[in-house]
Amino acid sequence: MKATSDVVVVGAGPYGLSVAAHLNACGVKVRIFGETMSFWDRHMPMGMCLRSPWEASQLSNPGGSLTIDAFQAATGQPVSRPIPIKRFVEYGRWFQSHAVPNLEQRKVAQIERESAGFRVALADGEVVQCGRVVIAGGIAPFAVKPKQFTGLPRELASHSSEQVDLTRFRGQKVVVIGGGQSALESAALLHECQADVELMVRESALEWTWQRPWLHTFRPIGVVLYAWPDVGPAFISHAVARPNLYRMLPRSVQDSWRIKSIRANGVGWLKPRLRDVNISTGLAVLAAAARGNQVELKLSDGSHGLVDHVLMATGYRIDVRKYEFLAASLRSSLRLIDGYPILGRGLESSVPGLHFLGAPAVYSYGPLMRFVAGADFAAREVAATVASARRTVGQQIAHPLREPSTVSAHRISEEA
Ligand SMILES: Cc1cc2nc3c(=O)[nH]c(=O)nc-3n(C[C@H](O)[C@H](O)[C@H](O)COP(=O)(O)OP(=O)(O)OC[C@H]3O[C@@H](n4cnc5c(N)ncnc54)[C@H](O)[C@@H]3O)c2cc1C
């Protein structure tokens, strides 16, 4: 016999945990699958600190009681600023134990549509039937590796998401590719663990944010320039902080502000840690080949060099078709733009009852969805949609009968 549930949540990072906390409080039957904070624990470098400020790094539960401040008070151990990743993972686990005790640390193997909703098959063989599925599966499958490094073994060239303990590169010559926070912080960490590191940036100069923290924090000025949670440039941040407003803006404005808000840059507090790091700007790798235990790089200035390792801090490109757990039939029925699902109210996709949270929601709801700070909005929207469907349909969360609101979807496809 198959198990049934009203809603299944896939993912136990900031978005999955937050939405499950809100759904648990709605009185619906929720099953949530995933490993608590696994991306932060196993796909980011040890010793890293969060780029997002304190207020923008909170998970969300109804009533907002499970904050990092509450975590500090409950554990009696202060959390420093910027927030160390180790403490953030501990905070996520503490949050989960309080708000999402029903989390099952199990892997979802396949999600298929069926007449009464969805069929969710777990890797261990159990099958769950449900009316709605909320995908909060994160960005791990979307890691971008430039084609120059295709064919090189992982020992010689790896994506930043594949390295946790950078101390293994002590004494080695490492080139870090990229100009965003991940590249800059990896270069700083490598330098601090005595690797011979070079940061190679294609752009002609590095970009920084939070260079003058008082512009963000000094009340009369800060609140005019930047809305909490401080995602995006001055003024634009006010629209980014309001995703339901953001999605009403003309598509061209949304696209331009999205690019400005999530473009590669580093947070000001990293600058002193990079003082002694060799940084090459305006330089790109044209080709790379294995030479024994090393990699030979052919660079855009005509030079060649031998290094022990190339670390690609080259970011992520969203394409939800890369979520292997989505059945092929489901993937093909999703309306997508550049790999992003088109989402209507409640972050619901063109497949009724299927919701996407986190980075895949950026195209429809703006850059806030790329950060932890968007979890509160997303969790509340999904919970409100589920609660309203429950009121309409009765106690059972039946498969939604109508297509979700696709007003903006029409506009997007016309303008794309
Ligand atoms: C180096 C780096 C630094 C960052 N720093 C910040 C920062 O300081 N502040 C900030 O706001 N954002 C930061 N981000 C962005 C950050 O990744 C997102 O904000 C955040 O992880 C989004 O949370 P999520 O819940 O969507 O996904 P994730 O945290 O990635 O969680 C995904 C979840 O899905 C689960 N999962 C995946 N597949 C399955 C499956 N088949 N079955 C079951 N479960 C599954 C995983 O186990 C995991 O629990 C950073 C990103 C990177 C790469």
Side-chain angles (χ1 to χ4, degrees), residues 209 215-216 221-222 224-227 230-239 257 260-261:
T209 179
L215 278 178
H216 300 255
I221 297 173
V224 173
L225 296 179
Y226 301 97
D230 206 345
V231 172
F235 304 114
I236 289 176
S237 125
H238 286 277
W257 288 4
K260 285 183 178 151
S261 299

PDB file of all heavy atoms in Angstrom, residues 209 215-216 221-222 224-227 230-239 257 260-261:
ATOM      1  N   THR A 209      31.213  45.023  -2.605  1.00  0.00           N
ATOM      2  CA  THR A 209      30.010  45.579  -2.000  1.00  0.00           C
ATOM      3  C   THR A 209      30.306  45.745  -0.500  1.00  0.00           C
ATOM      4  O   THR A 209      31.278  45.202  -0.004  1.00  0.00           O
ATOM      5  CB  THR A 209      28.796  44.647  -2.249  1.00  0.00           C
ATOM      6  OG1 THR A 209      27.660  45.208  -1.615  1.00  0.00           O
ATOM      7  CG2 THR A 209      29.004  43.255  -1.678  1.00  0.00           C
ATOM      8  N   LEU A 215      27.096  53.011   5.263  1.00  0.00           N
ATOM      9  CA  LEU A 215      26.048  53.356   4.294  1.00  0.00           C
ATOM     10  C   LEU A 215      24.861  52.396   4.396  1.00  0.00           C
ATOM     11  O   LEU A 215      23.744  52.702   4.009  1.00  0.00           O
ATOM     12  CB  LEU A 215      26.599  53.288   2.871  1.00  0.00           C
ATOM     13  CG  LEU A 215      27.381  54.497   2.372  1.00  0.00           C
ATOM     14  CD1 LEU A 215      27.892  54.244   0.959  1.00  0.00           C
ATOM     15  CD2 LEU A 215      26.506  55.752   2.387  1.00  0.00           C
ATOM     16  N   HIS A 216      25.128  51.197   4.900  1.00  0.00           N
ATOM     17  CA  HIS A 216      24.076  50.189   5.038  1.00  0.00           C
ATOM     18  C   HIS A 216      23.465  50.216   6.436  1.00  0.00           C
ATOM     19  O   HIS A 216      22.308  49.884   6.610  1.00  0.00           O
ATOM     20  CB  HIS A 216      24.650  48.784   4.785  1.00  0.00           C
ATOM     21  CG  HIS A 216      25.242  48.617   3.429  1.00  0.00           C
ATOM     22  ND1 HIS A 216      24.620  47.919   2.423  1.00  0.00           N
ATOM     23  CD2 HIS A 216      26.411  49.080   2.891  1.00  0.00           C
ATOM     24  CE1 HIS A 216      25.374  47.943   1.335  1.00  0.00           C
ATOM     25  NE2 HIS A 216      26.472  48.631   1.589  1.00  0.00           N
ATOM     26  N   ILE A 221      20.457  57.138   6.760  1.00  0.00           N
ATOM     27  CA  ILE A 221      20.900  56.968   5.377  1.00  0.00           C
ATOM     28  C   ILE A 221      20.631  55.530   4.916  1.00  0.00           C
ATOM     29  O   ILE A 221      20.048  55.302   3.852  1.00  0.00           O
ATOM     30  CB  ILE A 221      22.409  57.281   5.249  1.00  0.00           C
ATOM     31  CG1 ILE A 221      22.642  58.742   5.611  1.00  0.00           C
ATOM     32  CG2 ILE A 221      22.915  56.980   3.853  1.00  0.00           C
ATOM     33  CD1 ILE A 221      24.084  59.140   5.684  1.00  0.00           C
ATOM     34  N   GLY A 222      21.030  54.591   5.748  1.00  0.00           N
ATOM     35  CA  GLY A 222      20.917  53.169   5.387  1.00  0.00           C
ATOM     36  C   GLY A 222      19.518  52.767   4.977  1.00  0.00           C
ATOM     37  O   GLY A 222      19.328  52.089   3.963  1.00  0.00           O
ATOM     38  N   VAL A 224      17.157  54.518   3.739  1.00  0.00           N
ATOM     39  CA  VAL A 224      16.729  55.116   2.472  1.00  0.00           C
ATOM     40  C   VAL A 224      17.388  54.365   1.308  1.00  0.00           C
ATOM     41  O   VAL A 224      16.741  54.043   0.306  1.00  0.00           O
ATOM     42  CB  VAL A 224      17.106  56.619   2.417  1.00  0.00           C
ATOM     43  CG1 VAL A 224      16.819  57.192   1.037  1.00  0.00           C
ATOM     44  CG2 VAL A 224      16.353  57.388   3.495  1.00  0.00           C
ATOM     45  N   LEU A 225      18.667  54.048   1.462  1.00  0.00           N
ATOM     46  CA  LEU A 225      19.388  53.412   0.361  1.00  0.00           C
ATOM     47  C   LEU A 225      19.035  51.934   0.204  1.00  0.00           C
ATOM     48  O   LEU A 225      18.844  51.444  -0.902  1.00  0.00           O
ATOM     49  CB  LEU A 225      20.903  53.539   0.590  1.00  0.00           C
ATOM     50  CG  LEU A 225      21.486  54.961   0.583  1.00  0.00           C
ATOM     51  CD1 LEU A 225      22.981  54.895   0.835  1.00  0.00           C
ATOM     52  CD2 LEU A 225      21.205  55.638  -0.751  1.00  0.00           C
ATOM     53  N   TYR A 226      18.986  51.227   1.337  1.00  0.00           N
ATOM     54  CA  TYR A 226      18.842  49.764   1.270  1.00  0.00           C
ATOM     55  C   TYR A 226      17.687  49.292   2.141  1.00  0.00           C
ATOM     56  O   TYR A 226      17.643  49.602   3.333  1.00  0.00           O
ATOM     57  CB  TYR A 226      20.121  49.076   1.756  1.00  0.00           C
ATOM     58  CG  TYR A 226      21.339  49.446   0.963  1.00  0.00           C
ATOM     59  CD1 TYR A 226      22.210  50.438   1.416  1.00  0.00           C
ATOM     60  CD2 TYR A 226      21.611  48.819  -0.252  1.00  0.00           C
ATOM     61  CE1 TYR A 226      23.327  50.796   0.681  1.00  0.00           C
ATOM     62  CE2 TYR A 226      22.725  49.174  -0.988  1.00  0.00           C
ATOM     63  CZ  TYR A 226      23.587  50.153  -0.526  1.00  0.00           C
ATOM     64  OH  TYR A 226      24.682  50.502  -1.249  1.00  0.00           O
ATOM     65  N   ALA A 227      16.790  48.515   1.527  1.00  0.00           N
ATOM     66  CA  ALA A 227      15.719  47.898   2.328  1.00  0.00           C
ATOM     67  C   ALA A 227      16.270  46.630   2.955  1.00  0.00           C
ATOM     68  O   ALA A 227      17.103  45.950   2.356  1.00  0.00           O
ATOM     69  CB  ALA A 227      14.551  47.543   1.427  1.00  0.00           C
ATOM     70  N   ASP A 230      18.743  43.867   2.330  1.00  0.00           N
ATOM     71  CA  ASP A 230      19.964  44.353   1.726  1.00  0.00           C
ATOM     72  C   ASP A 230      20.476  43.484   0.580  1.00  0.00           C
ATOM     73  O   ASP A 230      21.647  43.144   0.515  1.00  0.00           O
ATOM     74  CB  ASP A 230      21.048  44.489   2.820  1.00  0.00           C
ATOM     75  CG  ASP A 230      22.079  45.537   2.430  1.00  0.00           C
ATOM     76  OD1 ASP A 230      22.117  45.914   1.246  1.00  0.00           O
ATOM     77  OD2 ASP A 230      22.834  45.965   3.312  1.00  0.00           O
ATOM     78  N   VAL A 231      19.596  43.115  -0.315  1.00  0.00           N
ATOM     79  CA  VAL A 231      20.021  42.414  -1.532  1.00  0.00           C
ATOM     80  C   VAL A 231      19.852  43.390  -2.688  1.00  0.00           C
ATOM     81  O   VAL A 231      18.777  43.951  -2.881  1.00  0.00           O
ATOM     82  CB  VAL A 231      19.179  41.137  -1.781  1.00  0.00           C
ATOM     83  CG1 VAL A 231      19.504  40.524  -3.142  1.00  0.00           C
ATOM     84  CG2 VAL A 231      19.406  40.115  -0.671  1.00  0.00           C
ATOM     85  N   GLY A 232      20.934  43.586  -3.460  1.00  0.00           N
ATOM     86  CA  GLY A 232      20.873  44.481  -4.612  1.00  0.00           C
ATOM     87  C   GLY A 232      21.452  45.843  -4.299  1.00  0.00           C
ATOM     88  O   GLY A 232      21.660  46.203  -3.140  1.00  0.00           O
ATOM     89  N   PRO A 233      21.694  46.631  -5.365  1.00  0.00           N
ATOM     90  CA  PRO A 233      22.284  47.957  -5.197  1.00  0.00           C
ATOM     91  C   PRO A 233      21.336  48.931  -4.488  1.00  0.00           C
ATOM     92  O   PRO A 233      20.143  48.634  -4.325  1.00  0.00           O
ATOM     93  CB  PRO A 233      22.536  48.420  -6.639  1.00  0.00           C
ATOM     94  CG  PRO A 233      22.321  47.252  -7.511  1.00  0.00           C
ATOM     95  CD  PRO A 233      21.468  46.282  -6.774  1.00  0.00           C
ATOM     96  N   ALA A 234      21.889  50.086  -4.107  1.00  0.00           N
ATOM     97  CA  ALA A 234      21.097  51.120  -3.437  1.00  0.00           C
ATOM     98  C   ALA A 234      19.829  51.405  -4.236  1.00  0.00           C
ATOM     99  O   ALA A 234      19.838  51.402  -5.465  1.00  0.00           O
ATOM    100  CB  ALA A 234      21.927  52.387  -3.296  1.00  0.00           C
ATOM    101  N   PHE A 235      18.737  51.657  -3.559  1.00  0.00           N
ATOM    102  CA  PHE A 235      17.395  51.935  -4.095  1.00  0.00           C
ATOM    103  C   PHE A 235      16.743  50.689  -4.721  1.00  0.00           C
ATOM    104  O   PHE A 235      15.622  50.342  -4.371  1.00  0.00           O
ATOM    105  CB  PHE A 235      17.397  53.118  -5.079  1.00  0.00           C
ATOM    106  CG  PHE A 235      17.960  54.376  -4.452  1.00  0.00           C
ATOM    107  CD1 PHE A 235      19.150  54.930  -4.905  1.00  0.00           C
ATOM    108  CD2 PHE A 235      17.319  54.987  -3.374  1.00  0.00           C
ATOM    109  CE1 PHE A 235      19.682  56.064  -4.305  1.00  0.00           C
ATOM    110  CE2 PHE A 235      17.849  56.123  -2.780  1.00  0.00           C
ATOM    111  CZ  PHE A 235      19.029  56.671  -3.240  1.00  0.00           C
ATOM    112  N   ILE A 236      17.467  50.023  -5.619  1.00  0.00           N
ATOM    113  CA  ILE A 236      16.908  48.815  -6.258  1.00  0.00           C
ATOM    114  C   ILE A 236      16.556  47.788  -5.180  1.00  0.00           C
ATOM    115  O   ILE A 236      15.589  47.032  -5.285  1.00  0.00           O
ATOM    116  CB  ILE A 236      17.931  48.235  -7.269  1.00  0.00           C
ATOM    117  CG1 ILE A 236      18.022  49.166  -8.477  1.00  0.00           C
ATOM    118  CG2 ILE A 236      17.573  46.812  -7.684  1.00  0.00           C
ATOM    119  CD1 ILE A 236      19.044  48.776  -9.512  1.00  0.00           C
ATOM    120  N   SER A 237      17.337  47.794  -4.116  1.00  0.00           N
ATOM    121  CA  SER A 237      17.129  46.833  -3.030  1.00  0.00           C
ATOM    122  C   SER A 237      15.720  46.919  -2.435  1.00  0.00           C
ATOM    123  O   SER A 237      15.195  45.932  -1.921  1.00  0.00           O
ATOM    124  CB  SER A 237      18.224  47.038  -1.982  1.00  0.00           C
ATOM    125  OG  SER A 237      17.740  47.254  -0.725  1.00  0.00           O
ATOM    126  N   HIS A 238      15.071  48.085  -2.557  1.00  0.00           N
ATOM    127  CA  HIS A 238      13.702  48.225  -2.026  1.00  0.00           C
ATOM    128  C   HIS A 238      12.714  47.377  -2.837  1.00  0.00           C
ATOM    129  O   HIS A 238      11.781  46.801  -2.275  1.00  0.00           O
ATOM    130  CB  HIS A 238      13.270  49.702  -2.046  1.00  0.00           C
ATOM    131  CG  HIS A 238      13.947  50.495  -0.968  1.00  0.00           C
ATOM    132  ND1 HIS A 238      13.490  50.522   0.323  1.00  0.00           N
ATOM    133  CD2 HIS A 238      15.072  51.246  -0.999  1.00  0.00           C
ATOM    134  CE1 HIS A 238      14.295  51.285   1.055  1.00  0.00           C
ATOM    135  NE2 HIS A 238      15.265  51.733   0.271  1.00  0.00           N
ATOM    136  N   ALA A 239      12.909  47.322  -4.151  1.00  0.00           N
ATOM    137  CA  ALA A 239      12.017  46.497  -4.984  1.00  0.00           C
ATOM    138  C   ALA A 239      12.348  45.018  -4.806  1.00  0.00           C
ATOM    139  O   ALA A 239      11.450  44.173  -4.719  1.00  0.00           O
ATOM    140  CB  ALA A 239      12.157  46.905  -6.446  1.00  0.00           C
ATOM    141  N   TRP A 257      17.685  44.602 -13.293  1.00  0.00           N
ATOM    142  CA  TRP A 257      17.928  44.669 -11.844  1.00  0.00           C
ATOM    143  C   TRP A 257      18.394  43.322 -11.287  1.00  0.00           C
ATOM    144  O   TRP A 257      19.141  43.267 -10.325  1.00  0.00           O
ATOM    145  CB  TRP A 257      16.656  45.147 -11.120  1.00  0.00           C
ATOM    146  CG  TRP A 257      16.389  46.604 -11.362  1.00  0.00           C
ATOM    147  CD1 TRP A 257      17.097  47.437 -12.187  1.00  0.00           C
ATOM    148  CD2 TRP A 257      15.347  47.403 -10.779  1.00  0.00           C
ATOM    149  NE1 TRP A 257      16.559  48.701 -12.161  1.00  0.00           N
ATOM    150  CE2 TRP A 257      15.482  48.708 -11.309  1.00  0.00           C
ATOM    151  CE3 TRP A 257      14.314  47.150  -9.882  1.00  0.00           C
ATOM    152  CZ2 TRP A 257      14.639  49.754 -10.948  1.00  0.00           C
ATOM    153  CZ3 TRP A 257      13.460  48.184  -9.518  1.00  0.00           C
ATOM    154  CH2 TRP A 257      13.626  49.472 -10.050  1.00  0.00           C
ATOM    155  N   LYS A 260      22.077  43.191 -11.998  1.00  0.00           N
ATOM    156  CA  LYS A 260      22.811  44.096 -11.095  1.00  0.00           C
ATOM    157  C   LYS A 260      22.862  43.539  -9.675  1.00  0.00           C
ATOM    158  O   LYS A 260      23.810  43.786  -8.933  1.00  0.00           O
ATOM    159  CB  LYS A 260      22.130  45.465 -11.059  1.00  0.00           C
ATOM    160  CG  LYS A 260      22.381  46.276 -12.312  1.00  0.00           C
ATOM    161  CD  LYS A 260      21.752  47.639 -12.215  1.00  0.00           C
ATOM    162  CE  LYS A 260      22.076  48.434 -13.469  1.00  0.00           C
ATOM    163  NZ  LYS A 260      21.093  49.400 -13.824  1.00  0.00           N
ATOM    164  N   SER A 261      21.819  42.828  -9.279  1.00  0.00           N
ATOM    165  CA  SER A 261      21.722  42.385  -7.888  1.00  0.00           C
ATOM    166  C   SER A 261      22.518  41.126  -7.593  1.00  0.00           C
ATOM    167  O   SER A 261      22.872  40.882  -6.442  1.00  0.00           O
ATOM    168  CB  SER A 261      20.257  42.130  -7.512  1.00  0.00           C
ATOM    169  OG  SER A 261      19.507  43.315  -7.647  1.00  0.00           O
TER     170      SER A 261
END
